[in-house]
């Protein structure tokens, strides 16, 4: 089979995967057509909220109990598809909500403290909207038959909504919220708003309320561990002061048992799960199903008696579509690069270099691979979270490098070194100074600003730039000390290309990403699904996400370009032409991060204390980074082999993965 035919076949395969995955995901998402799924937008006093509305057949004629379910800090509405699918097929109306400044929702309120702008009112504003809909059930006294449910920050928003609703009840005599179920959240952030434990618990009133408190949750459910700055430990929430208080202070509280408290009912579930695993769990979803069946038992005549869970099939079909989406760029870029101007993406492939000529050179190459793979993980927590000891060590190393480089510059000026060292020393001195300044001003460089408005992306970018600087210094040293004497030049690593080739590479990537997202928008419009598996998702976005892409992409390009060059340097011999080259590429991008996760969670599950017990958010970030950086490593290696240069892979990784990242997390639109 010729190359052209193979490319066309691969294009068709990727499109078939997208179509089959999307059709299958849609059928489970809408319960084989029995539930209408639509994206809605509605104005509020604080901006515009959006979400996916799941409306079962017959709801317009016969109003149903409703559930508003929302996500946490890092995610968007689609992360609630387990509850949305399972409860809508059982007859509930479900709104999977994007909180303000997440997904398709925007907050126009003032944001003096951005973190406290999006979640305190997101859920209650959505409840106001749902209460006014004719398809949502009310009782004879006008009380809403609505449950609120949220994960993590969505749990805080849900609890605060109950408190706001109870305060309104004191004025109006109407409760719009009938029940609440939170996952992965305690009262930690509500207490920072100066609410007392007693005030929060009293607000539940006669409602049926529950909590899903994972025993291995990285953030919550152990106030003592949190106060000690080591929250990633095994938890037993129901036996804490807060947990006992929630269920009415029984002498020996039991998880899963329903307690009568202040005229209402309370229950705590304790699955053996981490914080993000709540999203992808049949156990927690089963708890939700059981909880709602009991909470809404008096309205069972409006619901369907359905057993079993089917949401995971939607996830797996969405994963098939996700694979097809990423695969699409291989034949698509190949076909685009045959067009008149875009064919300039191909440059002369560098001549393979000879293998290391000495044991010393072999060891140096191995050290570069090992350090290149381990450094991103060893210092991820320091660079992401600002760990004091780790940052101090990094600054000390930077100062040592500055001193050694300065000595090298002095020695070369006195003509006491060879020519290579005379070139290497000033370069290393400049890079070491840049890195020291970068390390010195971590707080300023990672803070959320009007320009860089994605608070979880900023520290990832900071980490990426630091990794790029260290990798660049190692590369330059390795080149001048080992590779150059063997005949290597800068062209040997795929960096040499004409301006025309670089521009053609960027244009090719922009067209390819535009086509890929065009297909996504078509799928979203027809089937109301996107491409995802667990925490990895390619989803539609709004205009402000494109502006964020323009701001973040140039800086992320530094990371993908330099790490890509490092891979090329370490695979420049014929030994790495095949599968081994992809392994080296993956090791550079994710090798150390996988070891980080094994260490972190291996110790958590075996000893009850994580390897880095103070690293809660950063360890969850790594879980999401590994799969996307694995894709990046494959793109980097593949397109280098096909084009002879680093640019197509670096541009594709920059544009695609940055857009995926900013569309999937918090992005403050106004500060």
């Amino acid at each position: 089979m010729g190359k052209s035919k193979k490319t066309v076949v691969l294009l068709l395969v990727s499109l078939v995967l997208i179509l089959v995955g999307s059709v299958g995901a849609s059928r489970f998402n809408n319960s084989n057509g029995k539930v209408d799924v639509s994206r809605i937008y509605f104005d509020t006093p604080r901006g515009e909220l959006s979400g996916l509305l799941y409306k079962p057949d017959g709801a317009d004629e016969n109003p149903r109990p409703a559930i508003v379910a929302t996500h946490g800090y890092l995610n968007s509405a689609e992360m609630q598809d387990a509850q949305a699918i399972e409860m809508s097929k059982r007859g509930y109306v479900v709104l999977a909500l994007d909180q303000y400044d997440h997904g398709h929702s925007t907050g126009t309120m003032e944001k003096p403290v951005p973190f406290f702008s999006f979640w305190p009112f997101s859920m209650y504003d959505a409840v106001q909207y749902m209460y006014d809909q004719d398809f949502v059930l009310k009782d004879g006294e006008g009380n809403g038959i609505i449950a609120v449910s949220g994960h993590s920050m969505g749990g805080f928003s849900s609890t605060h909504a109950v408190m706001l609703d109870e305060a309104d009840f004191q004025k109006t005599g109407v409760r719009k919220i009938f029940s609440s179920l939170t996952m992965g959240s305690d009262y930690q952030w509500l207490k920072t708003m100066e609410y007392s434990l007693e005030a929060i618990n009293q607000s539940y009133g006669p409602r049926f309320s529950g909590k899903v408190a994972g025993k291995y949750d990285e953030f919550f459910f152990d106030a003592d561990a949190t106060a000690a700055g080591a929250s990633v430990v095994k938890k037993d929430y129901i036996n804490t002061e807060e947990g006992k208080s929630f269920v009415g202070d029984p002498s020996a509280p039991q998880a899963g048992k329903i307690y009568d408290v202040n005229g209402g009912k309370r229950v705590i579930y304790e699955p053996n799960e981490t914080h993000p695993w709540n999203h992808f769990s049949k156990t927690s979803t089963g708890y939700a199903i059981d909880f709602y069946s009991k909470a809404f038992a008096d309205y069972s005549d409006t619901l369907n008696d359905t057993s079993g869970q089917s949401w995971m099939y939607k996830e797996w079909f969405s994963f098939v579509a996700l694979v097809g989406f990423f695969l699409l760029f291989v034949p698509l870029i190949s076909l685009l690069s045959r067009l008149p101007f875009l064919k300039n993406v191909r440059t002369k492939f560098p001549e393979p270099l000879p293998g290391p000529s000495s044991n010393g050179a072999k060891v140096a190459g191995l050290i570069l691979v090992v350090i290149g793979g381990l450094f991103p993980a060893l210092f991820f927590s320091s660079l992401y979270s600002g760990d004091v000891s780790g940052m101090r060590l990094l600054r000390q190393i930077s100062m040592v490098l500055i001193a050694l480089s300065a000595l090298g510059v002095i020695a070369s000026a006195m003509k006491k070194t060879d020519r290579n060292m005379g070139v290497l020393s000033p370069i290393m001195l400049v890079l070491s100074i840049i890195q020291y300044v970068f390390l010195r001003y971590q707080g300023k460089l990672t803070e959320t600003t009007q320009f860089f408005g994605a608070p979880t992306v900023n520290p990832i970018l900071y980490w990426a730039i630091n990794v790029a600087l260290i990798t660049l210094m190692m590369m330059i040293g390795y080149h001048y000390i080992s590779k150059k004497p063997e005949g290597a030049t800068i062209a040997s690593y795929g960096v040499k290309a004409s301006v025309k080739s670089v521009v053609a590479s960027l244009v090719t990537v922009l067209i390819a990403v535009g086509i890929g997202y065009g297909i996504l928008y078509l799928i979203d419009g027809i089937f109301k699904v996107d491409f995802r598996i667990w925490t990895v998702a390619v989803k539609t976005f709004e205009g402000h996400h494109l502006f964020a892409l323009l701001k973040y992409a140039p800086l992320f390009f530094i990371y993908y370009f330099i790490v890509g060059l490092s891979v090329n340097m370490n695979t420049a011999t014929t030994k790495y032409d095949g599968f081994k080259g992809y392994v080296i590429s993956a090791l550079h991008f994710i090798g150390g991060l996988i070891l980080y996760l094994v260490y972190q969670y291996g110790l958590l599950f075996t000893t009850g204390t994580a390897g880095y017990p103070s690293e809660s958010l950063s360890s969850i970030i790594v879980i999401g980074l590994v799969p996307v950086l694995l894709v990046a490593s494959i793109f980097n290696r593949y397109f280098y082999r096909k084009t002879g240069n680093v640019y197509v892979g670096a541009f594709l990784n920059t544009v695609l993965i940055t857009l995926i990242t900013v569309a999937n997390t918090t992005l403050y639109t106004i500060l």
Side-chain angles (χ1 to χ4, degrees), residues 654-671:
T654 298
V655 175
L656 181 61
I657 294 178
T658 303
L659 186 52
I660 289 172
T661 302
V662 297
N664 272 289
T665 191
T666 318
L667 180 61
Y668 297 116
T669 50
I670 296 176
L671 293 173

Side-chain angles (χ1 to χ4, degrees), residues 233 264 631:
V233 296
V631 172

Side-chain angles (χ1 to χ4, degrees), residues 439-584:
L439 294 170
R440 180 71 176 79
Y441 294 99
Q442 182 187 36
K444 286 288 185 183
L445 294 172
T446 58
E447 69 179 355
T448 304
T449 65
Q450 188 167 5
F451 192 80
F452 290 119
T456 59
V457 178
N458 292 351
I460 294 175
L461 176 60
Y462 182 81
W463 165 81
I465 295 295
N466 271 284
V467 169
L469 284 169
I470 291 295
T471 302
L472 182 59
M473 285 190 276
M474 290 192 299
M475 284 172 53
I476 292 173
Y478 186 47
H479 173 75
Y480 279 100
I481 294 171
S482 179
K483 304 299 285 187
K484 189 175 181 182
E486 295 174 356
T489 67
I490 192 170
S492 302
Y493 313 131
V495 70
K496 189 174 181 180
S498 66
V499 173
K500 186 183 291 187
S501 293
V502 175
V503 173
S505 298
L506 177 58
V507 172
T508 300
V509 164
L510 291 176
I511 294 173
V513 173
I515 293 172
Y517 269 89
I519 293 172
L520 170 63
Y521 273 86
L522 182 63
I523 292 296
D524 177 75
I526 297 173
F527 300 113
K528 295 298 180 293
V529 295
D530 53 19
F531 312 142
R532 67 176 51 238
I533 184 72
W534 196 16
T535 61
V536 180
V538 181
K539 66 188 301 299
T540 54
F541 53 83
E542 299 290 330
H544 58 277
H545 294 108
L546 280 180
F547 285 112
L549 171 66
L550 294 175
K551 298 171 186 177
Y552 283 103
L555 295 173
F556 273 117
F557 177 76
I558 296 171
Y559 168 77
Y560 290 113
F561 179 77
I562 291 175
V563 175
L565 283 182
S566 179
V567 173
N568 297 347
M569 172 182 281
N570 285 281
T571 57
T573 66
T574 55
K575 177 181 178 181
Y576 297 104
D577 279 348
F579 181 72
K580 289 182 180 179
Y582 286 96
V583 172
I584 295 298

Side-chain angles (χ1 to χ4, degrees), residues 393 419 478:
L393 176 60
R419 187 169 178 273
Y478 186 47

Side-chain angles (χ1 to χ4, degrees), residues 279-392:
H279 291 298
F280 206 69
S281 163
K282 290 184 69 174
T283 299
S284 285
T285 304
Y287 288 150
I289 294 169
D290 178 69
F291 173 84
Y292 292 126
S293 69
K294 291 181 171 64
F296 293 101
D298 291 342
Y299 302 96
S300 59
D301 59 319
T302 66
L303 304 172
N304 304 322
D305 185 13
T306 302
S307 60
Q309 298 183 32
S310 57
W311 63 269
M312 72 289 296
Y313 300 115
K314 184 263 183 181
E315 286 286 325
W316 291 119
F317 273 108
S318 293
F319 178 58
V320 171
L322 180 66
V323 171
F325 176 80
F326 285 129
L327 181 62
L328 173 69
F329 292 99
V330 172
L332 189 56
I333 289 176
S334 177
L335 292 172
L336 288 171
S337 64
R338 298 175 189 180
L339 298 177
F341 174 71
L342 302 184
K343 66 182 181 182
N344 289 296
V345 301
R346 291 188 173 86
T347 58
K348 183 181 178 181
F349 196 84
E351 291 293 327
L353 295 175
S357 58
S358 66
N359 289 333
K362 291 179 181 179
V363 171
L366 179 61
I367 290 174
L368 184 63
V369 171
V370 172
I371 294 179
L374 290 181
F375 175 82
L378 292 175
F379 290 99
F380 185 86
S381 58
S382 299
L383 295 169
Y384 189 92
S385 305
D387 173 67
V388 175
S389 59
M391 291 302 295
R392 184 186 299 117

